[in-house]
Amino acid sequence: MVSEDGATTVFNTTFVRPEKFYLGGFSNMPHIKYYYVFLCFVYIVTVLGNVSLLSLICRVKTFHTPKYMIVFNLALTDLCGSTALIPKLLDTFLFDRRYIVYEACLSYLFFVFFFGSVQSWTLVTMAYDRFIAICFPLRYHSIVTKPAIGAMLMFVWIFMTCAFAVMVGLLDRLSFCGSVVINNFFCDHGPLYRLACNDTTLNYIVGFVLFIIILCIPLLLIAVSYVCISIALSRTASGEERLRALKTCTSHLILVTIFFLPFIVTNIAVLAFYIHTNARIINSSLTHIISALLNPFIYTLKTEEVLTAIKKLWKRNKQINIATKW
């Protein structure tokens, strides 16, 4: 629908690009401001936790290893993903700025999905690291090297950049001649392309393929790696060695559960039951942000190396402070 005030741009009378979209988000929800305060708290803690983990890895030389390159990448994507989503979400709904410029909407979509997908494949890289460490311990240092892990992570970043650039490019070819209201808390792919009035078959196919790439394939690869790890551990004679090996996998398994389980439950619930829009949006928003909040704390508390390094830094800083006072 082309407005008289020039809210849309029309090309060749058949292509309509709206100047802005309207984020529907929450509707008539009492005490919603408390949820926004909670999101603000979540974002602050997420930034502090991930920045602390990033600085710890940079400062401690023993963490300059392939394994902690992966942890660094995970913390970085958690930080960037939360920054891409939460501040804009708060600005949109807390200050009631629901209109978002067309180009900004596509950029918003790109970065939210991009960092989520990189996080997913970083967890796969972690599973690969654990798989090699337990199944091929004697060859671990020759297989899992800094160049190898760096190349894997770089490939993920480049591939996901290209994949989501294609997704955004296909959205940009659509004509939006009807409603401009996106029924979600951010510029989500499905609600956005469904507003178009021309053929969206290609958008649906690309969205489905990316869903497989982001969630299904990573989850399958992680499951296969842990099946192989279980088989390798079952052949280990010593129960103490099995327990030690399992401890090295605990933090990763918790990270995988926190990241994938909410997405799976949310998608099944939406398909199987009717969920009120507000409940669906709250569930979806928490699904996007909770893993980034918890990851640094889980990895820190469940990894003895990290705890030991924190204690050493604490003692060193304490000694320096005492020395400077004297």
Side-chain angles (χ1 to χ4, degrees):
M1 186 180 297
V2 182
S3 61
E4 294 178 359
D5 61 355
T8 57
T9 305
V10 185
F11 299 97
N12 298 327
T13 69
T14 58
F15 181 84
V16 182
R17 174 181 293 174
E19 183 182 337
K20 296 178 180 180
F21 286 107
Y22 182 86
L23 293 170
F26 306 99
S27 59
N28 301 319
M29 187 172 175
H31 311 299
I32 187 62
K33 287 191 177 180
Y34 293 112
Y35 182 63
Y36 300 143
V37 171
F38 168 72
L39 289 180
C40 187
F41 170 77
V42 166
Y43 180 64
I44 292 169
V45 176
T46 299
V47 170
L48 290 175
N50 284 288
V51 168
S52 298
L53 185 56
L54 289 169
S55 61
L56 182 69
I57 293 170
C58 290
R59 289 182 66 183
V60 180
K61 289 184 178 180
T62 54
F63 289 165
H64 297 175
T65 61
K67 176 184 174 181
Y68 284 96
M69 280 179 67
I70 305 171
V71 178
F72 186 93
N73 192 73
L74 182 65
L76 181 63
T77 54
D78 284 342
L79 179 63
C80 293
S82 294
T83 302
L85 180 63
I86 300 177
K88 181 58 182 173
L89 189 156
L90 292 172
D91 179 66
T92 300
F93 298 107
L94 187 58
F95 301 104
D96 199 25
R97 297 169 181 164
R98 299 195 179 210
Y99 281 100
I100 180 169
V101 177
Y102 175 86
E103 291 81 5
C105 186
L106 295 186
S107 299
Y108 194 12
L109 178 150
F110 174 86
F111 286 111
V112 170
F113 277 96
F114 171 75
F115 288 117
S117 64
V118 173
Q119 185 181 2
S120 175
W121 279 93
T122 302
L123 292 172
V124 175
T125 313
M126 273 188 175
Y128 170 76
D129 173 78
R130 292 299 83 206
F131 166 72
I132 299 297
I134 294 171
C135 297
F136 305 98
L138 299 178
R139 298 177 60 194
Y140 176 78
H141 293 291
S142 62
I143 297 174
V144 182
T145 61
K146 282 186 180 180
I149 295 299
M152 289 173 70
L153 295 175
M154 184 62 69
F155 174 77
V156 169
W157 281 72
I158 293 171
F159 178 81
M160 291 305 168
T161 299
C162 296
F164 288 106
V166 169
M167 185 177 78
V168 170
L170 289 173
L171 285 171
D172 197 38
R173 56 174 273 281
L174 296 177
S175 182
F176 299 91
C177 51
S179 173
V180 292
V181 178
I182 300 172
N183 292 315
N184 211 331
F185 65 97
F186 77 107
C187 294
D188 198 358
H189 181 249
L192 182 56
Y193 83 72
R194 291 189 190 101
L195 295 177
C197 41
N198 51 344
D199 185 27
T200 59
T201 304
L202 196 55
N203 300 87
Y204 170 80
I205 292 170
V206 168
F208 181 75
V209 169
L210 286 175
F211 171 78
I212 298 295
I213 292 172
I214 296 170
L215 285 178
C216 300
I217 295 177
L219 197 55
L220 179 63
L221 291 174
I222 292 169
V224 168
S225 69
Y226 274 101
V227 168
C228 295
I229 287 170
S230 300
I231 293 169
L233 290 177
S234 67
R235 294 172 180 170
T236 303
S238 171
E240 192 175 322
E241 288 179 14
R242 292 180 196 173
L243 186 61
R244 195 183 305 118
L246 284 172
K247 279 185 178 179
T248 65
C249 299
T250 304
S251 57
H252 178 249
L253 285 170
I254 296 172
L255 298 182
V256 169
T257 303
I258 289 172
F259 181 81
F260 287 102
L261 189 61
F263 279 105
I264 293 168
V265 171
T266 300
N267 281 284
I268 292 172
V270 168
L271 293 172
F273 310 101
Y274 168 75
I275 301 176
H276 191 274
T277 303
N278 289 337
R280 178 179 57 80
I281 290 175
I282 286 177
N283 187 48
S284 182
S285 60
L286 288 175
T287 297
H288 278 83
I289 65 177
I290 289 299
S291 62
L293 168 70
L294 297 178
N295 283 355
F297 299 101
I298 290 168
Y299 205 89
T300 300
L301 295 173
K302 297 298 292 184
T303 308
E304 289 183 13
E305 291 171 301
V306 178
L307 284 173
T308 304
I310 291 171
K311 289 175 184 175
K312 285 181 179 178
L313 281 174
W314 175 264
K315 287 179 181 178
R316 189 187 305 165
N317 290 334
K318 196 174 180 181
Q319 289 171 352
I320 291 170
N321 290 333
I322 292 170
T324 53
K325 284 180 181 179
W326 285 100

